[in-house]
Amino acid sequence: KNEVEQSPQNLTAQEGEFITINCSYSVGISALHWLQQHPGGGIVSLFMLSSGKKKHGRLIATINIQEKHSSLHITASHPRDSAVYICAVTFGNEKLTFGTGTRLTIIP
Amino acid sequence: KAGVTQTPRYLIKTRGQQVTLSCSPISGHRSVSWYQQTPGQGLQFLFEYFSETQRNKGNFPGRFSGRQFSNSRSEMNVSTLELGDSALYLCASGGRAQETQYFGPGTRLLVL
């Protein structure tokens, strides 16, 4: 079965802390997405990657294809980073399969 | 460029009714995907349309259907609504699933 697991489910941190959210998947993928969902439901695509590392501002996403694992890092976290972060992958069938999400709360 | 738009934003229906949701993709995008989000099941893929053809389908009953028009706008229909269909329905436009997806704000459906 094609599965995507995220950890932790919930994460609370102080403003300024370095944040890491993890995503593991069960079989080979063609692409991995990191999404951000704020209260109210809107989803923003943060990264799409199939290898290596990508950086955008304070956000960094890495993927290790051999270990079937990806991480999303946030440096110098800020209360506005509080959101649900969702990992999604495409397996061979090209359907997006989603993780359960990580609820991040940054305390000022 | 305008983003992905979805209408209506909120909807209340009763069991047994049917509903049609609309999604207008970003101009120039030919792919539209639909997703259902519930507290229990999380985000799940419904179907994907490209150039008016259904290219992929998730594991949902036949009550869920969709179509895409020549201008890439897409509609999703749910017939014989059940309480469990209460959810946030999201559409996304872009390329294939291996490419960046641009999500709309969603339609929140409540079935009573």
Side-chain angles (χ1 to χ4, degrees), chain A residues 30-31 33 35 37 40-45 47-48 86 90-91 93-99, chain B residues 9 35 37 43-45 48 56-59 88 90 96-101 103-105 108:
Chain A
S30 53
H33 303 250
L35 311 171
Q37 186 172 33
I43 291 180
V44 174
S45 179
F47 296 103
M48 192 279 296
I86 303 167
T90 50
F91 298 108
N93 58 15
E94 298 186 357
K95 303 175 186 179
L96 266 181
T97 301
F98 298 88
Chain B
R9 294 292 310 278
Y35 304 93
Q37 186 177 35
L43 270 162
Q44 296 183 91
F45 170 79
E48 179 196 1
N56 229 326
K57 189 176 190 307
N59 298 322
L88 178 67
L90 293 150
R96 308 199 65 130
Q98 299 95 322
E99 300 172 16
T100 299
Q101 301 283 293
F103 286 81
R108 197 168 292 278

Side-chain angles (χ1 to χ4, degrees), chain B residues 46-60:
Chain B
L46 279 158
F47 25 65
E48 179 196 1
Y49 286 88
F50 182 86
S51 294
E52 303 179 65
T53 300
Q54 187 179 86
R55 192 159 63 178
N56 229 326
K57 189 176 190 307
N59 298 322
F60 279 81

Side-chain angles (χ1 to χ4, degrees), chain B residues 23-44:
Chain B
C23 173
S24 292
I26 291 172
S27 178
H29 286 184
R30 295 163 66 188
S31 169
V32 174
S33 298
W34 287 91
Y35 304 93
Q36 181 198 64
Q37 186 177 35
T38 60
Q41 298 296 318
L43 270 162
Q44 296 183 91

